[in-house]
């Protein structure tokens, strides 16, 4: 039939998502996208639009695939804030351990490349991160955390989640990542004192270009 796609559009989008996930927006060249999807430039552009549009569709596909897993983990019921943190980070560990997908997290990698994204892409990345933070905060409140505690733990858990993605890209072992997650869960509800919470400038590192 004339005009009918001769390829699986959903599969092509999944493969494009993996290209952005592996390389990040800035390094996901058209050549890499065509190679990764198996499509010619004409089919790629004709189906998904330009690179920015394809990135946004890929990011949306990523969120549709993984964010429901976080929502399910947060549903509980959870007897304490620490179990909320543990359940949330376990989803991250499970994804990182999946050998069929790239290391890290597409959303985290995209956040580190914020300046390279267009206005719509930046807005989508920030909205997704904010949505995860809100879901965490609501689950922590339901688990008995006070308003301030829930807000602080949600932010710190989100930061730990993103850190796990970065460490996985750097080759840290699954045991190391599990240790980070377990420590974060164990410390939930017991934030460090102001005297120990500051950043040690001796441990400062330059900004990471990708998870």
């Amino acid at each position: 039939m004339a005009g009918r796609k001769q390829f699986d559009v959903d599969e092509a989008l999944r493969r494009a998502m993996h290209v952005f996930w592996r390389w990040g927006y800035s390094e996901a060249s058209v050549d890499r996208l065509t190679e990764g999807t198996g499509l010619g430039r004409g089919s790629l552009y004709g189906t998904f639009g330009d690179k920015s549009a394809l990135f946004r569709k890929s990011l949306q596909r990523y969120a549709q695939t993984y964010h429901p897993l976080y929502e399910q983990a947060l549903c509980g019921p959870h007897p304490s804030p620490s179990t909320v943190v543990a359940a949330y980070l376990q989803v991250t560990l499970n994804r990182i351990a999946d050998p069929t997908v790239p290391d890290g997290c597409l959303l985290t990698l995209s956040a580190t490349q914020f300046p390279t994204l267009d206005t719509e892409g930046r807005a989508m990345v920030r909205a997704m991160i904010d949505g995860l933070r809100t879901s965490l905060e609501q689950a922590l409140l339901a688990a008995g955390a006070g308003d301030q505690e829930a807000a602080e733990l949600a932010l710190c858990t989100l930061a730990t989640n993103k850190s796990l993605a970065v460490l996985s890209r750097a080759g840290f072992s699954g045991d190391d990542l599990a240790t980070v997650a377990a420590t974060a869960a164990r410390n939930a509800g017991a934030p460090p004192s102001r005297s120990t919470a500051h950043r040690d400038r001796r441990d400062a590192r330059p900004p990471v270009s990708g998870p």
Side-chain angles (χ1 to χ4, degrees):
M1 180 181 297
R4 183 174 181 179
K5 301 294 184 186
Q6 300 301 309
F7 57 89
D8 186 330
V9 175
D10 187 65
E11 175 62 15
L13 181 58
R14 185 189 70 81
R15 293 182 179 184
M17 176 186 74
H18 280 201
V19 174
F20 285 116
W21 190 344
R22 183 178 303 279
W23 295 100
Y25 180 83
S26 61
E27 297 299 321
S29 64
V30 175
D31 286 342
R32 281 174 172 156
L33 287 165
T34 55
E35 180 181 359
T37 60
L39 301 180
R41 293 190 179 211
S43 295
L44 192 69
Y45 288 140
T47 302
F48 300 110
D50 62 14
K51 177 181 170 180
S52 294
L54 177 55
F55 166 75
R56 293 193 297 272
K57 290 182 174 70
S58 297
L59 190 60
Q60 188 64 45
R61 169 65 183 273
Y62 182 86
Q64 290 170 348
T65 301
Y66 293 102
H67 287 193
L69 301 179
Y70 287 108
E71 295 294 340
Q72 182 178 358
L74 292 177
C75 281
H78 292 289
S80 67
S82 64
T83 60
V84 173
V85 174
Y88 187 86
L89 295 179
Q90 187 61 52
V91 176
T92 303
L93 295 176
N94 291 345
R95 188 198 64 240
I96 289 172
D98 183 353
T100 67
V101 300
D103 290 330
C105 163
L106 175 57
L107 182 57
T108 303
L109 179 54
S110 301
T112 66
Q113 298 187 351
F114 218 62
T116 69
L117 308 179
D118 63 12
T119 301
E120 290 180 79
R122 291 195 297 270
M124 181 177 288
V125 168
R126 183 55 192 263
M128 288 180 177
I129 293 174
D130 287 344
L132 292 171
R133 181 180 181 180
T134 297
S135 296
L136 266 166
E137 190 169 342
Q138 291 173 343
L140 289 162
L141 287 169
D147 289 348
Q148 182 175 352
E149 181 187 13
E152 292 174 350
L153 279 177
L155 182 58
C156 290
T157 302
L158 186 63
T160 303
N161 171 281
K162 301 308 174 190
S163 297
L164 289 171
V166 173
L167 293 176
S168 75
R169 294 274 291 200
F172 281 71
S173 70
D175 287 343
D176 285 339
L177 302 181
T179 296
V180 172
T183 302
R186 186 170 61 249
N187 292 338
S193 65
R194 185 176 298 274
S195 62
T196 60
H198 70 279
R199 180 183 179 187
D200 188 340
R201 294 185 182 276
R202 293 173 300 176
D203 292 336
R205 297 291 185 271
V208 179
S209 61

